[in-house]
Amino acid sequence: MKVAVLGAGAIGAYVGAALHRAGADVHLIARGPHLAAMRRNGVQVLSPRGDFTALAHATDNPQEIGPVDYVFLGLKANSYAACGPLIEPLLNDTTAVIAAQNGIPWWYFHHHGGPHDGQRIESVDPGGAVSAVLAPERAVGCVVYAATELEGPGVVRHLEGTRFSIGEPDRSASERCQAFSEAMQAGGLKCPVEKDLRNDIWLKLLGNISFNPISALSRATMRQMCHHGGTRQVIETMMRETLAVAEALGCDIGISIERRLAGAERVGDHRTSTLQDLEAGKPLELDVLLAAVVELADITGVEVPTLRTVHAISDLLAHRTAA
Protein backbone atom coordinates (compact mmCIF):
# COMPACT_ATOMS: atom_id res chain seq x y z
CA MET A 1 0.00 0.00 0.00
CA LYS A 2 1.40 3.37 -1.06
CA VAL A 3 0.20 6.35 0.95
CA ALA A 4 0.96 10.05 0.67
CA VAL A 5 0.22 12.32 3.62
CA LEU A 6 -0.51 15.77 2.22
CA GLY A 7 -0.18 18.16 5.14
CA ALA A 8 1.98 16.09 7.47
CA GLY A 9 1.43 18.23 10.56
CA ALA A 10 0.62 16.88 14.00
CA ILE A 11 -2.23 14.57 12.91
CA GLY A 12 -0.87 13.79 9.45
CA ALA A 13 2.62 12.89 10.67
CA TYR A 14 1.13 10.77 13.47
CA VAL A 15 -0.97 8.78 10.99
CA GLY A 16 1.94 8.51 8.56
CA ALA A 17 4.23 7.24 11.31
CA ALA A 18 1.68 4.60 12.35
CA LEU A 19 1.16 3.41 8.76
CA HIS A 20 4.94 3.29 8.21
CA ARG A 21 5.27 1.17 11.35
CA ALA A 22 2.66 -1.17 9.83
CA GLY A 23 4.79 -1.63 6.71
CA ALA A 24 3.05 0.75 4.30
CA ASP A 25 5.05 2.75 1.75
CA VAL A 26 4.53 6.19 3.30
CA HIS A 27 5.48 9.61 1.91
CA LEU A 28 5.11 12.73 4.06
CA ILE A 29 4.57 16.09 2.38
CA ALA A 30 5.45 19.10 4.51
CA ARG A 31 7.64 22.20 4.45
CA GLY A 32 9.97 24.38 6.51
CA PRO A 33 11.82 23.32 9.67
CA HIS A 34 9.31 20.49 10.27
CA LEU A 35 10.19 18.94 6.90
CA ALA A 36 13.91 19.38 7.51
CA ALA A 37 13.63 17.63 10.88
CA MET A 38 11.64 14.71 9.45
CA ARG A 39 14.19 14.29 6.67
CA ARG A 40 16.99 14.29 9.21
CA ASN A 41 15.52 12.25 12.08
CA GLY A 42 12.21 10.83 10.87
CA VAL A 43 8.94 11.40 12.73
CA GLN A 44 9.47 11.11 16.47
CA VAL A 45 6.22 10.17 18.24
CA LEU A 46 5.99 10.74 21.98
CA SER A 47 3.00 8.95 23.44
CA PRO A 48 1.76 7.48 26.72
CA ARG A 49 1.27 4.31 24.65
CA GLY A 50 5.00 4.18 23.91
CA ASP A 51 7.44 6.37 22.00
CA PHE A 52 8.65 5.40 18.53
CA THR A 53 10.36 6.83 15.45
CA ALA A 54 9.27 6.35 11.83
CA LEU A 55 11.86 6.96 9.12
CA ALA A 56 9.36 7.59 6.31
CA HIS A 57 10.23 9.51 3.15
CA ALA A 58 9.55 13.24 3.56
CA THR A 59 9.44 15.86 0.82
CA ASP A 60 7.89 19.13 -0.29
CA ASN A 61 7.63 17.94 -3.90
CA PRO A 62 4.76 15.52 -4.74
CA GLN A 63 6.35 14.95 -8.15
CA GLU A 64 8.97 12.86 -6.34
CA ILE A 65 6.26 10.52 -5.11
CA GLY A 66 3.98 9.95 -8.08
CA PRO A 67 0.57 8.25 -7.95
CA VAL A 68 -0.44 6.53 -4.72
CA ASP A 69 -3.24 4.28 -3.48
CA TYR A 70 -4.35 6.72 -0.78
CA VAL A 71 -3.84 10.39 -0.05
CA PHE A 72 -4.35 11.15 3.63
CA LEU A 73 -5.35 14.81 3.62
CA GLY A 74 -4.07 16.57 6.71
CA LEU A 75 -4.62 20.10 5.42
CA LYS A 76 -7.12 22.54 6.91
CA ALA A 77 -10.39 22.50 4.96
CA ASN A 78 -9.92 26.12 3.92
CA SER A 79 -6.82 25.00 1.96
CA TYR A 80 -8.55 22.33 -0.11
CA ALA A 81 -9.51 24.48 -3.10
CA ALA A 82 -5.91 25.61 -3.59
CA CYS A 83 -4.23 22.22 -3.17
CA GLY A 84 -4.59 21.13 -6.81
CA PRO A 85 -0.90 21.50 -7.78
CA LEU A 86 0.10 19.45 -4.73
CA ILE A 87 -2.40 16.62 -5.05
CA GLU A 88 -2.57 16.13 -8.82
CA PRO A 89 0.81 14.34 -9.11
CA LEU A 90 -0.40 11.85 -6.48
CA LEU A 91 -3.54 10.73 -8.29
CA ASN A 92 -4.30 7.88 -10.62
CA ASP A 93 -7.73 6.59 -11.67
CA THR A 94 -8.33 4.76 -8.38
CA THR A 95 -6.58 6.93 -5.78
CA ALA A 96 -8.75 7.47 -2.71
CA VAL A 97 -8.57 10.70 -0.70
CA ILE A 98 -8.96 10.22 3.06
CA ALA A 99 -10.12 13.65 4.20
CA ALA A 100 -9.41 14.13 7.91
CA GLN A 101 -11.31 17.36 8.47
CA ASN A 102 -13.51 18.88 11.12
CA GLY A 103 -17.01 20.09 10.27
CA ILE A 104 -19.19 19.53 7.24
CA PRO A 105 -17.23 18.08 4.28
CA TRP A 106 -17.58 19.15 0.67
CA TRP A 107 -18.85 15.65 -0.24
CA TYR A 108 -21.68 15.68 2.34
CA PHE A 109 -24.58 15.31 -0.12
CA HIS A 110 -22.67 13.04 -2.55
CA HIS A 111 -24.72 9.80 -2.70
CA HIS A 112 -26.66 11.11 0.29
CA GLY A 113 -30.06 10.00 -0.97
CA GLY A 114 -33.30 11.88 -0.40
CA PRO A 115 -34.30 15.35 -1.54
CA HIS A 116 -30.83 16.92 -1.19
CA ASP A 117 -28.84 14.24 -3.01
CA GLY A 118 -25.95 15.78 -4.94
CA GLN A 119 -26.57 19.30 -3.65
CA ARG A 120 -23.49 21.49 -3.27
CA ILE A 121 -22.94 23.32 0.02
CA GLU A 122 -21.67 26.76 -0.96
CA SER A 123 -19.99 27.45 2.40
CA VAL A 124 -17.58 24.53 2.04
CA ASP A 125 -17.44 24.23 -1.76
CA PRO A 126 -17.74 27.80 -3.06
CA GLY A 127 -18.58 27.73 -6.75
CA GLY A 128 -17.54 24.07 -6.86
CA ALA A 129 -13.89 25.02 -6.33
CA VAL A 130 -13.19 22.13 -3.93
CA SER A 131 -15.04 19.51 -5.99
CA ALA A 132 -13.02 20.59 -9.02
CA VAL A 133 -9.82 19.66 -7.17
CA LEU A 134 -11.09 16.79 -5.02
CA ALA A 135 -13.71 14.84 -6.95
CA PRO A 136 -16.34 13.56 -4.50
CA GLU A 137 -15.97 10.08 -6.05
CA ARG A 138 -12.47 9.89 -4.56
CA ALA A 139 -13.55 10.93 -1.07
CA VAL A 140 -13.44 8.68 1.96
CA GLY A 141 -14.64 10.55 5.03
CA CYS A 142 -12.58 10.52 8.21
CA VAL A 143 -13.49 11.77 11.68
CA VAL A 144 -10.50 12.17 13.99
CA TYR A 145 -10.86 11.44 17.70
CA ALA A 146 -7.13 11.63 18.46
CA ALA A 147 -5.41 14.66 19.97
CA THR A 148 -1.85 15.45 18.94
CA GLU A 149 0.40 18.49 18.77
CA LEU A 150 3.76 19.35 17.30
CA GLU A 151 6.11 19.64 20.26
CA GLY A 152 8.86 20.75 17.90
CA PRO A 153 9.93 20.22 14.30
CA GLY A 154 9.59 16.53 13.52
CA VAL A 155 8.31 15.73 17.02
CA VAL A 156 4.66 14.73 17.51
CA ARG A 157 3.22 14.60 21.01
CA HIS A 158 0.28 12.18 21.12
CA LEU A 159 -2.00 13.34 23.94
CA GLU A 160 -5.00 11.02 23.84
CA GLY A 161 -7.24 8.95 21.58
CA THR A 162 -6.34 6.68 18.69
CA ARG A 163 -9.65 6.47 16.80
CA PHE A 164 -9.95 7.52 13.17
CA SER A 165 -13.44 6.58 11.96
CA ILE A 166 -13.78 6.30 8.18
CA GLY A 167 -16.65 5.71 5.79
CA GLU A 168 -17.90 5.98 2.22
CA PRO A 169 -20.33 8.76 1.25
CA ASP A 170 -22.63 6.11 -0.24
CA ARG A 171 -22.56 4.07 3.02
CA SER A 172 -21.06 1.02 1.31
CA ALA A 173 -18.55 -1.32 2.95
CA SER A 174 -15.90 -0.80 0.27
CA GLU A 175 -12.68 -2.71 -0.21
CA ARG A 176 -10.68 0.53 -0.15
CA CYS A 177 -12.05 1.41 3.29
CA GLN A 178 -11.42 -2.07 4.64
CA ALA A 179 -7.83 -2.16 3.38
CA PHE A 180 -7.02 1.26 4.85
CA SER A 181 -8.67 0.30 8.16
CA GLU A 182 -6.56 -2.85 8.40
CA ALA A 183 -3.35 -0.91 7.73
CA MET A 184 -4.21 1.66 10.40
CA GLN A 185 -4.97 -1.07 12.92
CA ALA A 186 -1.69 -2.82 12.09
CA GLY A 187 0.01 0.48 12.97
CA GLY A 188 -1.66 0.59 16.40
CA LEU A 189 -4.61 2.88 15.67
CA LYS A 190 -8.35 2.32 15.81
CA CYS A 191 -10.00 2.76 12.44
CA PRO A 192 -13.60 1.50 12.36
CA VAL A 193 -15.42 1.57 9.03
CA GLU A 194 -18.75 3.23 9.80
CA LYS A 195 -21.86 2.49 7.76
CA ASP A 196 -22.93 6.14 7.92
CA LEU A 197 -20.04 8.38 8.86
CA ARG A 198 -22.36 11.40 8.82
CA ASN A 199 -23.49 10.48 12.35
CA ASP A 200 -19.86 10.70 13.51
CA ILE A 201 -19.43 14.00 11.66
CA TRP A 202 -22.32 15.54 13.61
CA LEU A 203 -21.17 13.99 16.89
CA LYS A 204 -17.78 15.68 16.68
CA LEU A 205 -19.27 18.84 15.21
CA LEU A 206 -21.52 19.18 18.25
CA GLY A 207 -18.46 20.24 20.23
CA ASN A 208 -16.48 21.98 17.49
CA ILE A 209 -19.33 24.25 16.39
CA SER A 210 -19.72 25.66 19.88
CA PHE A 211 -16.40 25.48 21.72
CA ASN A 212 -14.17 26.48 18.80
CA PRO A 213 -15.67 29.88 17.90
CA ILE A 214 -16.47 30.75 21.52
CA SER A 215 -12.89 29.97 22.53
CA ALA A 216 -11.57 32.27 19.81
CA LEU A 217 -13.91 35.07 20.85
CA SER A 218 -13.22 34.68 24.58
CA ARG A 219 -9.62 33.31 24.53
CA ALA A 220 -10.86 30.69 27.02
CA THR A 221 -9.94 27.03 27.54
CA MET A 222 -12.42 24.15 27.53
CA ARG A 223 -12.63 24.10 31.31
CA GLN A 224 -13.13 27.84 31.55
CA MET A 225 -15.97 27.80 29.04
CA CYS A 226 -17.70 24.93 30.81
CA HIS A 227 -17.40 26.58 34.22
CA HIS A 228 -18.70 30.02 33.19
CA GLY A 229 -22.46 29.91 33.65
CA GLY A 230 -23.50 32.29 30.90
CA THR A 231 -21.06 30.88 28.36
CA ARG A 232 -22.12 27.33 29.20
CA GLN A 233 -25.75 28.29 28.48
CA VAL A 234 -24.80 29.74 25.09
CA ILE A 235 -22.90 26.55 24.24
CA GLU A 236 -25.86 24.39 25.29
CA THR A 237 -28.15 26.42 23.04
CA MET A 238 -25.75 26.13 20.11
CA MET A 239 -25.66 22.37 20.62
CA ARG A 240 -29.46 22.10 20.71
CA GLU A 241 -29.75 24.03 17.46
CA THR A 242 -27.05 21.85 15.86
CA LEU A 243 -28.87 18.69 16.92
CA ALA A 244 -32.06 20.02 15.33
CA VAL A 245 -30.30 20.50 11.98
CA ALA A 246 -28.73 17.04 12.16
CA GLU A 247 -32.08 15.44 12.93
CA ALA A 248 -33.71 17.31 10.04
CA LEU A 249 -31.14 15.65 7.77
CA GLY A 250 -31.87 12.20 9.18
CA CYS A 251 -28.85 11.81 11.48
CA ASP A 252 -28.96 10.28 14.95
CA ILE A 253 -26.00 11.39 17.05
CA GLY A 254 -26.90 9.20 20.01
CA ILE A 255 -25.47 11.36 22.79
CA SER A 256 -27.01 13.89 25.15
CA ILE A 257 -25.82 17.48 25.43
CA GLU A 258 -25.08 16.90 29.12
CA ARG A 259 -22.80 13.99 28.30
CA ARG A 260 -21.05 15.97 25.58
CA LEU A 261 -20.42 18.86 27.97
CA ALA A 262 -19.14 16.50 30.65
CA GLY A 263 -16.64 15.07 28.18
CA ALA A 264 -15.45 18.54 27.22
CA GLU A 265 -15.06 19.51 30.86
CA ARG A 266 -12.82 16.50 31.48
CA VAL A 267 -10.40 17.78 28.82
CA GLY A 268 -9.43 20.57 31.23
CA ASP A 269 -7.43 23.65 30.23
CA HIS A 270 -7.07 22.69 26.58
CA ARG A 271 -7.09 25.40 23.92
CA THR A 272 -9.17 24.52 20.88
CA SER A 273 -7.52 24.32 17.47
CA THR A 274 -9.32 27.52 16.45
CA LEU A 275 -7.89 29.41 19.42
CA GLN A 276 -4.43 28.02 18.66
CA ASP A 277 -4.76 29.16 15.03
CA LEU A 278 -5.88 32.62 16.17
CA GLU A 279 -2.90 32.98 18.50
CA ALA A 280 -0.57 31.82 15.72
CA GLY A 281 -2.03 34.29 13.23
CA LYS A 282 -3.35 31.50 10.98
CA PRO A 283 -6.67 31.54 9.07
CA LEU A 284 -9.63 30.39 11.15
CA GLU A 285 -11.38 27.24 9.94
CA LEU A 286 -14.93 28.36 10.70
CA ASP A 287 -16.81 27.99 7.41
CA VAL A 288 -17.00 24.21 7.69
CA LEU A 289 -18.00 24.47 11.35
CA LEU A 290 -20.49 27.33 11.53
CA ALA A 291 -21.31 28.77 8.12
CA ALA A 292 -22.07 25.33 6.70
CA VAL A 293 -24.54 24.46 9.46
CA VAL A 294 -26.29 27.82 9.09
CA GLU A 295 -26.57 27.06 5.37
CA LEU A 296 -27.94 23.59 6.14
CA ALA A 297 -30.44 25.18 8.52
CA ASP A 298 -31.65 27.36 5.65
CA ILE A 299 -31.97 24.28 3.43
CA THR A 300 -33.97 22.35 6.04
CA GLY A 301 -35.96 25.24 7.48
CA VAL A 302 -34.59 24.88 11.02
CA GLU A 303 -34.38 27.99 13.21
CA VAL A 304 -30.84 28.57 14.53
CA PRO A 305 -30.73 32.13 15.93
CA THR A 306 -27.82 31.57 18.31
CA LEU A 307 -25.70 29.87 15.66
CA ARG A 308 -26.38 32.81 13.34
CA THR A 309 -25.33 35.34 15.96
CA VAL A 310 -22.10 33.56 16.90
CA HIS A 311 -21.34 32.99 13.23
CA ALA A 312 -21.75 36.69 12.42
CA ILE A 313 -19.36 37.76 15.17
CA SER A 314 -16.77 35.04 14.66
CA ASP A 315 -16.86 35.58 10.89
CA LEU A 316 -15.83 39.19 11.46
CA LEU A 317 -12.97 37.94 13.64
CA ALA A 318 -11.93 35.49 10.91
CA HIS A 319 -11.90 38.23 8.28
CA ARG A 320 -9.91 40.59 10.51
CA THR A 321 -7.39 37.79 11.21
CA ALA A 322 -6.99 37.10 7.51
CA ALA A 323 -6.57 40.77 6.61
Side-chain angles (χ1 to χ4, degrees), residues 14-275:
Y14 179 59
V15 168
L19 289 170
H20 182 271
R21 184 166 62 168
D25 179 15
V26 174
H27 303 264
L28 306 172
I29 303 170
R31 59 188 180 184
H34 181 52
L35 170 60
M38 291 192 295
R39 280 173 163 167
R40 186 170 57 250
N41 302 315
V43 180
Q44 300 177 63
V45 177
L46 309 178
S47 170
R49 304 173 72 242
D51 301 345
F52 69 97
T53 299
L55 299 173
H57 173 237
T59 181
D60 58 359
N61 182 11
Q63 297 281 356
E64 293 180 4
I65 301 168
V68 298
D69 300 309
Y70 298 90
V71 175
F72 184 88
L73 204 56
L75 302 172
K76 293 284 189 179
N78 48 20
S79 300
Y80 286 1
C83 77
L86 291 173
I87 200 169
E88 286 171 6
L90 306 172
L91 303 178
N92 60 28
D93 291 343
T94 60
T95 302
V97 176
I98 312 286
Q101 70 162 95
N102 288 324
I104 302 296
W106 83 100
W107 54 260
Y108 188 88
F109 284 127
H110 179 63
H111 288 308
H112 180 270
H116 309 299
D117 189 69
Q119 185 165 342
R120 179 169 54 82
I121 304 173
E122 182 68 20
S123 303
V124 299
D125 190 10
V130 176
S131 294
V133 174
L134 304 171
E137 293 78 14
R138 294 189 183 275
V140 171
C142 179
V143 178
V144 178
Y145 293 97
T148 61
E149 61 184 22
L150 282 179
E151 188 158 295
V155 181
V156 176
R157 171 72 65 179
H158 171 232
L159 303 172
E160 61 177 357
T162 59
R163 181 179 166 193
F164 294 76
S165 297
I166 63 173
E168 293 282 0
D170 67 0
R171 305 176 181 85
S172 65
S174 68
E175 291 184 7
R176 65 181 185 175
C177 277
Q178 190 58 44
F180 188 79
S181 172
E182 290 172 1
M184 291 279 277
Q185 291 177 64
L189 304 179
K190 297 177 182 177
C191 189
V193 179
E194 301 291 349
K195 181 178 179 181
D196 194 342
L197 191 73
R198 293 174 181 87
N199 292 330
D200 282 67
I201 287 170
W202 285 102
L203 173 59
K204 188 170 185 188
L205 182 55
L206 196 63
N208 288 148
I209 198 172
S210 49
F211 287 110
N212 285 51
I214 295 296
S215 70
L217 292 168
S218 65
R219 310 299 201 274
T221 66
M222 299 287 280
R223 181 190 63 80
Q224 291 166 338
M225 288 184 283
C226 287
H227 286 188
H228 185 271
T231 302
R232 187 184 181 102
Q233 287 182 356
V234 171
I235 289 170
E236 288 175 354
T237 302
M238 294 176 74
M239 288 184 173
R240 281 195 297 271
E241 292 177 0
T242 302
L243 281 175
V245 177
E247 290 167 0
L249 290 168
C251 285
D252 179 15
I253 296 179
I255 188 173
S256 68
I257 289 174
E258 291 74 19
R259 184 179 169 192
R260 187 66 185 84
L261 283 166
E265 195 168 354
R266 285 195 298 272
V267 173
D269 283 312
H270 170 71
R271 296 174 300 130
T272 69
S273 59
T274 303
L275 177 55

